[in-house]
Structure formats: C-alpha cells, structure tokens
Amino acid sequence: EDKVVQSPLSLVVHEGDTVTLNCSYEVTNFRSLLWYKQEKKAPTFLFMLTSSGIEKKSGRLSSILDKKELSSILNITATQTGDSAIYLCAVVNNAGNMLTFGGGTRLMVKP
Amino acid sequence: ETGVTQTPRHLVMGMTNKKSLKCEQHLGHNAMYWYKQSAKKPLELMFVYNFKEQTENNSVPSRFSPECPNSSHLFLHLHTLQPEDSALYLCASSQGNQPQHFGDGTRLSIL
C-alpha cells in the first residue's frame, strides 16, 4: 500500500521567514510527486516532480525531489500572510493516475 | 475558478435521506475522481472514472453510488449515510498524466 508522510504537521512563522516542508513516501512503481496548496476550498496545483535533483521554481516557491531518499521538500522564501494554507503532498504510481495524499502541513504566517 | 464546479457547496441531511452531489468539469479532461476529506485524515480517493468507465472503487461502502454519464459530469448519490460520513467531498479531473484539478468541494453534514 502506497504511503505518504508529511512533516511538520503544522508550522507558525512570521512574515519574511523561510520555511521548508517535507514529504516522504513509499510507493510501488513511483511515477510522480505533486504538491498542492489548499486554503479554504479547492487544492490548487503547485508542482509536479518526476526527476530527481531537478528543482522546480515558481516565484518564492521551489521544490525538489530526491528519489534515493524517497522524499521531496517544498521551500517558501520571504513568506507572506497569503501563504497561510495547508500544503499537500501526493504521489502517483505507474498503475494508474490515482493520487495517494499525505496528511498535509498546516502553515500559518503571522504579520 | 478551477474549471471544476461542484454543487451544492453545503449539504445537511438526515441519515434516511437520499441526495446527490454533482461535479462538472469544463477542461476537456477524460478522467474524473471523487475524494473524501475528513478532519485530521489525509484526502482519501473514493472513485475513479476514465472515459466514463469506473476504473477504481477504493473499498467505498455501497451507500455511496457514483454515476458518470459523460466525461464532463460526475455524480455521487448518497443514501442512508452515517454521521462519520460528514466530510468535505472533492471532485477532480485530469487528462493523461497531467496533474488533477480540484473543485471547491461539497461540505456534507449528516445529522
């Protein structure tokens, strides 16, 4: 059974801080890892990672996959209050296009 | 606007009621999904449809009955639900190996 574990469970920081969120996984026939941001409604897609060691970047957010360590990190620099959300990590195996989600990291950014 | 629309946004029902959740995607995707998001638990995949055919039923109780009349519409029929079924029900869609796009969900409360 595929498994995804995220840490920390929750995090409180102040604006301007840098945060690193962690995701580790156990999956049969790994295909890709995805990061989503969920505020009050729909999870919104951030990154899809398939290759180890290649950083993906979007503004202040970046993510990288380590297939040897079966993990990924999501970095947010110069955090803003609008970054407050639950960050979800999910993996996809080659058996299909089903996502297995981790429990999420709840990030709160204080002014 | 994510391109995936779910209705109703909120639903309160008794255990003996019958109701349906609706999902419509305007993205031209060929796969649609139902997920359940409960407090303090990871997002759980319930059902997967590819080209209107159900390809996955993740051990979901029969009181949940999905229907996919075409690639753009997905329903979840509810009957004789239990209090533990109270949750946020999320619909998603995808095309090929591309990331899934989520709707805003239906917040379901069972009295």
Side-chain angles (χ1 to χ4, degrees), chain B residues 26-85:
Chain B
H26 312 276
L27 301 168
H29 291 168
N30 58 16
M32 295 186 77
Y33 313 79
W34 280 116
Y35 288 87
K36 176 183 179 183
Q37 189 173 34
S38 306
K40 299 185 180 179
K41 289 179 72 175
L43 265 162
E44 301 171 75
L45 178 68
M46 299 175 72
F47 300 104
V48 181
Y49 278 83
N50 277 292
F51 295 102
K52 303 188 300 176
E53 299 297 319
Q54 185 175 313
T55 56
E56 191 71 23
N57 174 340
N58 220 19
S59 303
V60 180
S62 60
R63 58 185 183 268
F64 294 91
S65 173
E67 179 190 359
C68 189
N70 55 62
S71 294
S72 299
H73 293 86
L74 185 65
F75 295 90
L76 188 62
H77 304 299
L78 315 172
H79 176 49
T80 323
L81 294 193
Q82 304 299 307
E84 62 265 28
D85 297 324

Coordinates of all heavy atoms in Angstrom, one line a residue, chain B residues 26-85:
Chain B
H26 N -15.0 21.7 -17.0 CA -15.0 22.4 -18.3 C -13.7 22.4 -18.9 O -13.3 23.4 -19.6 CB -15.5 23.9 -18.0 CG -16.7 24.0 -17.2 ND1 -18.0 23.8 -17.7 CD2 -16.9 24.1 -15.8 CE1 -18.9 24.0 -16.7 NE2 -18.2 24.1 -15.6
L27 N -12.9 21.4 -18.6 CA -11.5 21.4 -19.1 C -11.2 20.4 -20.2 O -10.0 20.3 -20.6 CB -10.6 21.1 -17.8 CG -10.7 22.1 -16.7 CD1 -10.0 21.5 -15.4 CD2 -10.1 23.4 -17.0
G28 N -12.2 19.7 -20.6 CA -12.0 18.7 -21.6 C -11.2 17.5 -21.2 O -10.6 16.7 -22.0
H29 N -11.2 17.2 -19.9 CA -10.4 16.1 -19.3 C -11.2 14.8 -19.6 O -12.4 14.8 -19.7 CB -10.1 16.3 -17.8 CG -9.2 17.4 -17.6 ND1 -9.0 17.9 -16.3 CD2 -8.3 18.1 -18.4 CE1 -8.1 18.8 -16.3 NE2 -7.6 19.0 -17.6
N30 N -10.4 13.7 -19.5 CA -11.1 12.4 -19.7 C -11.2 11.5 -18.5 O -11.7 10.4 -18.5 CB -10.3 11.6 -20.8 CG -8.9 11.4 -20.5 OD1 -8.5 11.5 -19.3 ND2 -8.1 11.0 -21.5
A31 N -10.7 12.0 -17.4 CA -10.8 11.3 -16.1 C -11.4 12.1 -15.0 O -11.1 13.3 -14.9 CB -9.4 10.7 -15.7
M32 N -12.2 11.5 -14.2 CA -12.8 12.3 -13.1 C -12.7 11.4 -11.8 O -12.7 10.2 -11.9 CB -14.2 12.7 -13.4 CG -14.3 13.6 -14.5 SD -16.0 14.3 -14.8 CE -16.2 15.5 -13.5
Y33 N -12.7 12.1 -10.7 CA -12.4 11.4 -9.4 C -13.3 12.0 -8.3 O -13.7 13.2 -8.3 CB -11.0 11.7 -8.9 CG -9.9 11.5 -10.0 CD1 -9.7 12.5 -11.0 CD2 -9.2 10.3 -10.0 CE1 -8.8 12.3 -11.9 CE2 -8.2 10.1 -11.0 CZ -8.0 11.1 -12.0 OH -7.0 11.0 -12.9
W34 N -13.7 11.2 -7.3 CA -14.2 11.6 -6.1 C -13.3 11.3 -4.9 O -12.7 10.2 -4.8 CB -15.6 10.9 -5.7 CG -16.8 11.4 -6.5 CD1 -17.5 10.7 -7.4 CD2 -17.4 12.7 -6.3 NE1 -18.6 11.6 -7.8 CE2 -18.5 12.8 -7.2 CE3 -17.1 13.8 -5.5 CZ2 -19.3 13.9 -7.3 CZ3 -17.9 15.0 -5.7 CH2 -19.0 15.0 -6.5
Y35 N -13.1 12.3 -4.0 CA -12.3 12.2 -2.8 C -13.1 12.6 -1.6 O -14.0 13.5 -1.7 CB -11.0 13.2 -2.9 CG -10.0 12.8 -3.9 CD1 -10.0 13.2 -5.2 CD2 -8.9 12.0 -3.5 CE1 -9.0 12.9 -6.1 CE2 -7.9 11.7 -4.4 CZ -7.9 12.1 -5.7 OH -6.9 11.8 -6.5
K36 N -12.7 12.0 -0.5 CA -13.3 12.4 0.8 C -12.2 13.0 1.6 O -11.1 12.5 1.8 CB -13.9 11.2 1.5 CG -14.4 11.5 2.9 CD -14.9 10.2 3.5 CE -15.5 10.5 4.9 NZ -15.9 9.2 5.6
Q37 N -12.5 14.2 2.2 CA -11.5 14.9 3.1 C -12.2 15.1 4.5 O -13.1 15.9 4.6 CB -11.1 16.2 2.5 CG -9.9 16.8 3.3 CD -9.3 18.0 2.7 OE1 -10.1 18.8 2.0 NE2 -8.0 18.2 2.8
S38 N -11.7 14.2 5.4 CA -12.2 14.3 6.8 C -11.2 15.1 7.7 O -10.0 15.1 7.3 CB -12.4 12.9 7.4 OG -13.3 12.1 6.6
A39 N -11.7 15.6 8.8 CA -10.8 16.3 9.7 C -9.7 15.4 10.2 O -10.0 14.2 10.5 CB -11.6 16.8 10.9
K40 N -8.5 15.8 10.1 CA -7.4 15.1 10.7 C -7.1 13.8 10.0 O -6.4 12.9 10.5 CB -7.6 14.8 12.2 CG -7.7 16.1 13.0 CD -7.8 15.9 14.5 CE -7.9 17.2 15.2 NZ -8.0 17.1 16.6
K41 N -7.5 13.6 8.7 CA -7.2 12.5 7.9 C -6.8 12.9 6.6 O -7.2 13.9 6.1 CB -8.4 11.5 7.8 CG -8.8 10.8 9.1 CD -10.0 9.9 8.9 CE -9.7 8.7 8.0 NZ -10.8 7.8 7.9
P42 N -5.9 12.2 5.9 CA -5.5 12.6 4.5 C -6.6 12.4 3.6 O -7.6 11.7 3.8 CB -4.4 11.5 4.2 CG -3.9 11.0 5.5 CD -5.1 11.0 6.4
L43 N -6.6 13.2 2.5 CA -7.5 13.0 1.4 C -7.6 11.6 1.0 O -6.5 11.0 0.7 CB -7.1 13.9 0.2 CG -7.7 15.3 0.0 CD1 -6.8 16.1 -0.9 CD2 -9.1 15.2 -0.5
E44 N -8.8 11.0 0.9 CA -9.0 9.6 0.5 C -9.6 9.5 -0.8 O -10.7 10.1 -1.0 CB -9.8 8.9 1.5 CG -9.4 8.9 3.0 CD -10.4 8.4 3.9 OE1 -10.6 7.2 3.9 OE2 -11.1 9.2 4.6
L45 N -9.0 8.8 -1.8 CA -9.6 8.6 -3.0 C -10.8 7.6 -2.9 O -10.7 6.6 -2.2 CB -8.6 8.0 -4.0 CG -9.1 7.6 -5.4 CD1 -9.5 8.8 -6.2 CD2 -8.0 6.8 -6.1
M46 N -11.9 7.9 -3.5 CA -13.1 7.1 -3.4 C -13.3 6.3 -4.8 O -13.4 5.1 -4.8 CB -14.3 7.9 -3.1 CG -14.3 8.6 -1.8 SD -15.7 9.7 -1.5 CE -17.0 8.5 -1.2
F47 N -13.5 7.1 -5.8 CA -13.8 6.5 -7.1 C -13.0 7.2 -8.2 O -12.7 8.4 -8.1 CB -15.3 6.7 -7.5 CG -16.2 6.0 -6.5 CD1 -16.9 6.8 -5.6 CD2 -16.4 4.7 -6.5 CE1 -17.8 6.2 -4.6 CE2 -17.3 4.1 -5.6 CZ -18.0 4.9 -4.7
V48 N -12.7 6.4 -9.3 CA -12.1 7.0 -10.5 C -12.8 6.5 -11.7 O -13.2 5.4 -11.8 CB -10.6 6.4 -10.6 CG1 -9.9 7.0 -11.8 CG2 -9.8 6.7 -9.4
Y49 N -13.0 7.5 -12.6 CA -13.7 7.2 -13.9 C -12.7 7.7 -15.0 O -12.2 8.8 -15.0 CB -15.0 7.9 -14.1 CG -16.1 7.2 -13.4 CD1 -16.4 7.4 -12.0 CD2 -17.0 6.4 -14.1 CE1 -17.4 6.7 -11.4 CE2 -18.1 5.7 -13.5 CZ -18.3 5.9 -12.2 OH -19.3 5.3 -11.6
N50 N -12.5 6.8 -16.0 CA -11.7 7.1 -17.2 C -12.6 6.9 -18.4 O -13.2 5.8 -18.6 CB -10.5 6.2 -17.3 CG -9.3 6.7 -16.5 OD1 -8.8 7.8 -16.8 ND2 -9.0 6.0 -15.5
F51 N -12.8 7.9 -19.2 CA -13.7 7.8 -20.3 C -15.0 7.2 -19.9 O -15.5 6.3 -20.6 CB -13.1 7.0 -21.4 CG -11.8 7.6 -22.0 CD1 -10.6 7.2 -21.6 CD2 -11.9 8.7 -22.9 CE1 -9.4 7.7 -22.2 CE2 -10.8 9.2 -23.4 CZ -9.5 8.8 -23.1
K52 N -15.6 7.7 -18.9 CA -16.9 7.3 -18.3 C -17.0 6.0 -17.7 O -18.0 5.5 -17.2 CB -18.0 7.4 -19.4 CG -18.2 8.7 -20.1 CD -19.4 8.7 -21.1 CE -19.3 7.6 -22.1 NZ -20.5 7.5 -22.9
E53 N -15.9 5.2 -17.7 CA -15.9 3.9 -17.2 C -15.2 3.9 -15.8 O -14.1 4.5 -15.6 CB -15.1 2.9 -18.1 CG -15.7 2.7 -19.5 CD -17.1 2.2 -19.4 OE1 -17.3 1.2 -18.6 OE2 -18.0 2.6 -20.2
Q54 N -15.8 3.3 -14.8 CA -15.3 3.2 -13.5 C -14.1 2.3 -13.5 O -14.2 1.1 -13.8 CB -16.3 2.8 -12.5 CG -15.8 2.8 -11.0 CD -16.9 2.5 -10.0 OE1 -18.0 3.0 -10.1 NE2 -16.5 1.6 -9.1
T55 N -12.9 2.8 -13.1 CA -11.7 2.0 -13.1 C -11.2 1.7 -11.7 O -10.3 1.0 -11.5 CB -10.6 2.7 -13.9 OG1 -10.4 4.0 -13.3 CG2 -11.0 2.8 -15.3
E56 N -11.8 2.4 -10.7 CA -11.3 2.2 -9.3 C -12.5 2.5 -8.3 O -13.2 3.5 -8.5 CB -10.2 3.1 -9.0 CG -9.5 2.8 -7.7 CD -8.6 1.6 -7.8 OE1 -8.2 1.1 -8.9 OE2 -8.3 1.0 -6.7
N57 N -12.6 1.5 -7.4 CA -13.6 1.7 -6.3 C -12.8 1.4 -5.1 O -12.5 0.2 -4.8 CB -14.8 0.8 -6.5 CG -15.7 0.9 -5.3 OD1 -15.3 1.3 -4.2 ND2 -16.9 0.4 -5.4
N58 N -12.4 2.4 -4.3 CA -11.5 2.2 -3.2 C -12.1 1.7 -2.0 O -12.0 2.3 -0.9 CB -10.7 3.5 -3.0 CG -9.3 3.3 -2.7 OD1 -8.7 2.3 -3.0 ND2 -8.6 4.3 -2.1
S59 N -12.8 0.5 -2.1 CA -13.5 -0.1 -0.9 C -14.4 0.9 -0.2 O -14.4 1.0 1.0 CB -12.4 -0.5 0.1 OG -11.5 -1.4 -0.4
V60 N -15.2 1.5 -1.1 CA -16.2 2.5 -0.5 C -17.5 1.8 -0.2 O -18.0 1.0 -1.0 CB -16.4 3.6 -1.6 CG1 -17.4 4.6 -1.1 CG2 -15.1 4.3 -1.9
P61 N -18.1 2.1 0.9 CA -19.4 1.5 1.2 C -20.5 1.7 0.1 O -20.5 2.8 -0.5 CB -19.8 2.1 2.5 CG -18.6 2.6 3.1 CD -17.7 3.0 2.0
S62 N -21.4 0.8 0.0 CA -22.4 0.9 -1.1 C -23.4 2.0 -0.8 O -24.2 2.3 -1.8 CB -23.2 -0.4 -1.2 OG -23.8 -0.7 0.1
R63 N -23.4 2.7 0.3 CA -24.3 3.8 0.5 C -23.8 5.0 -0.3 O -24.5 6.0 -0.4 CB -24.4 4.2 2.0 CG -23.1 4.5 2.7 CD -23.4 4.7 4.2 NE -22.1 5.1 4.9 CZ -21.3 4.2 5.5 NH1 -21.6 2.9 5.4 NH2 -20.3 4.7 6.1
F64 N -22.6 4.9 -0.9 CA -22.1 5.9 -1.9 C -22.2 5.3 -3.2 O -21.5 4.2 -3.5 CB -20.7 6.3 -1.6 CG -20.5 7.0 -0.3 CD1 -20.2 6.3 0.9 CD2 -20.6 8.4 -0.2 CE1 -20.1 7.0 2.1 CE2 -20.5 9.1 1.0 CZ -20.2 8.4 2.2
S65 N -22.9 5.9 -4.2 CA -23.0 5.3 -5.5 C -22.7 6.4 -6.6 O -23.4 7.4 -6.7 CB -24.5 4.9 -5.7 OG -24.7 4.4 -7.0
P66 N -21.6 6.2 -7.3 CA -21.2 7.1 -8.3 C -21.9 6.9 -9.6 O -22.3 5.8 -9.9 CB -19.7 6.9 -8.4 CG -19.5 5.4 -8.2 CD -20.6 5.1 -7.2
E67 N -22.0 8.0 -10.4 CA -22.5 7.9 -11.7 C -21.8 8.9 -12.6 O -21.6 10.0 -12.3 CB -24.0 8.2 -11.7 CG -24.6 8.2 -13.1 CD -26.0 8.8 -13.1 OE1 -26.5 9.2 -12.1 OE2 -26.6 8.8 -14.2
C68 N -21.4 8.4 -13.8 CA -20.6 9.3 -14.7 C -21.3 9.1 -16.1 O -20.9 8.3 -16.9 CB -19.2 8.8 -14.8 SG -18.1 10.0 -15.7
P69 N -22.3 10.0 -16.4 CA -23.0 9.9 -17.7 C -22.2 10.3 -18.9 O -22.4 9.8 -20.0 CB -24.2 10.8 -17.5 CG -23.7 11.8 -16.5 CD -22.8 11.0 -15.6
N70 N -21.2 11.1 -18.7 CA -20.3 11.5 -19.8 C -19.0 12.0 -19.2 O -18.9 12.2 -18.0 CB -20.9 12.6 -20.7 CG -21.4 13.8 -19.9 OD1 -20.6 14.5 -19.3 ND2 -22.7 14.0 -19.9
S71 N -18.0 12.4 -20.0 CA -16.7 12.7 -19.5 C -16.7 14.0 -18.7 O -15.7 14.3 -18.0 CB -15.7 12.8 -20.6 OG -15.5 11.5 -21.2
S72 N -17.7 14.8 -18.8 CA -17.8 16.1 -18.2 C -18.5 16.2 -16.9 O -18.4 17.1 -16.1 CB -18.4 17.2 -19.1 OG -17.6 17.3 -20.3
H73 N -19.3 15.1 -16.6 CA -20.2 15.2 -15.4 C -20.0 13.9 -14.6 O -19.8 12.8 -15.1 CB -21.7 15.2 -15.9 CG -22.0 16.5 -16.5 ND1 -21.9 16.7 -17.9 CD2 -22.6 17.6 -16.0 CE1 -22.3 17.9 -18.2 NE2 -22.7 18.5 -17.1
L74 N -20.0 14.2 -13.3 CA -19.9 13.1 -12.3 C -20.8 13.4 -11.2 O -20.9 14.5 -10.7 CB -18.4 13.0 -11.8 CG -18.0 11.9 -10.9 CD1 -18.1 10.6 -11.6 CD2 -16.6 12.1 -10.4
F75 N -21.5 12.3 -10.7 CA -22.4 12.4 -9.6 C -22.0 11.5 -8.5 O -21.3 10.4 -8.7 CB -23.8 12.1 -10.0 CG -24.4 13.0 -11.0 CD1 -24.3 12.8 -12.4 CD2 -25.1 14.2 -10.6 CE1 -24.8 13.7 -13.4 CE2 -25.7 15.0 -11.6 CZ -25.5 14.8 -12.9
L76 N -22.4 11.8 -7.3 CA -22.2 10.9 -6.2 C -23.6 10.9 -5.5 O -24.0 11.8 -4.8 CB -21.1 11.4 -5.2 CG -20.7 10.4 -4.1 CD1 -20.2 9.1 -4.7 CD2 -19.7 11.0 -3.1
H77 N -24.2 9.7 -5.6 CA -25.6 9.5 -5.0 C -25.4 9.0 -3.6 O -24.6 8.1 -3.3 CB -26.4 8.6 -5.8 CG -26.5 9.0 -7.2 ND1 -27.1 10.2 -7.6 CD2 -26.2 8.4 -8.4 CE1 -27.1 10.3 -8.9 NE2 -26.5 9.2 -9.4
L78 N -26.1 9.6 -2.6 CA -25.9 9.3 -1.2 C -27.2 8.8 -0.6 O -28.3 9.3 -0.9 CB -25.6 10.6 -0.5 CG -24.5 11.5 -1.1 CD1 -24.4 12.8 -0.3 CD2 -23.2 10.8 -1.1
H79 N -27.1 7.7 0.1 CA -28.3 7.1 0.7 C -28.0 6.4 2.0 O -27.0 5.6 2.1 CB -28.8 6.0 -0.3 CG -30.0 5.3 0.2 ND1 -31.1 5.9 0.7 CD2 -30.2 3.9 0.2 CE1 -32.0 4.9 1.1 NE2 -31.5 3.8 0.8
T80 N -28.8 6.7 3.0 CA -28.6 6.1 4.3 C -27.2 6.3 4.9 O -26.5 5.4 5.3 CB -29.0 4.6 4.3 OG1 -30.0 4.4 3.4 CG2 -29.4 4.1 5.7
L81 N -26.8 7.6 4.9 CA -25.4 7.8 5.4 C -25.3 7.8 6.9 O -26.4 7.9 7.6 CB -25.0 9.2 4.8 CG -24.8 9.3 3.3 CD1 -24.0 10.6 2.9 CD2 -24.1 8.1 2.7
Q82 N -24.1 7.7 7.4 CA -23.8 7.7 8.8 C -23.2 9.0 9.2 O -22.5 9.7 8.4 CB -22.9 6.5 9.1 CG -23.4 5.2 8.6 CD -24.8 4.8 9.3 OE1 -24.9 4.8 10.5 NE2 -25.8 4.5 8.5
P83 N -23.2 9.3 10.5 CA -22.6 10.6 11.0 C -21.1 10.7 10.6 O -20.6 11.7 10.3 CB -22.7 10.5 12.5 CG -24.0 9.7 12.7 CD -24.0 8.7 11.6
E84 N -20.4 9.5 10.6 CA -19.0 9.5 10.2 C -18.7 9.9 8.7 O -17.6 10.0 8.3 CB -18.3 8.2 10.6 CG -18.8 7.0 9.8 CD -19.9 6.3 10.6 OE1 -20.6 6.9 11.4 OE2 -20.0 5.0 10.4
D85 N -19.8 9.9 7.9 CA -19.7 10.3 6.5 C -19.6 11.8 6.4 O -19.4 12.3 5.2 CB -20.8 9.8 5.7 CG -20.8 8.2 5.7 OD1 -19.7 7.6 5.7 OD2 -21.9 7.7 5.7

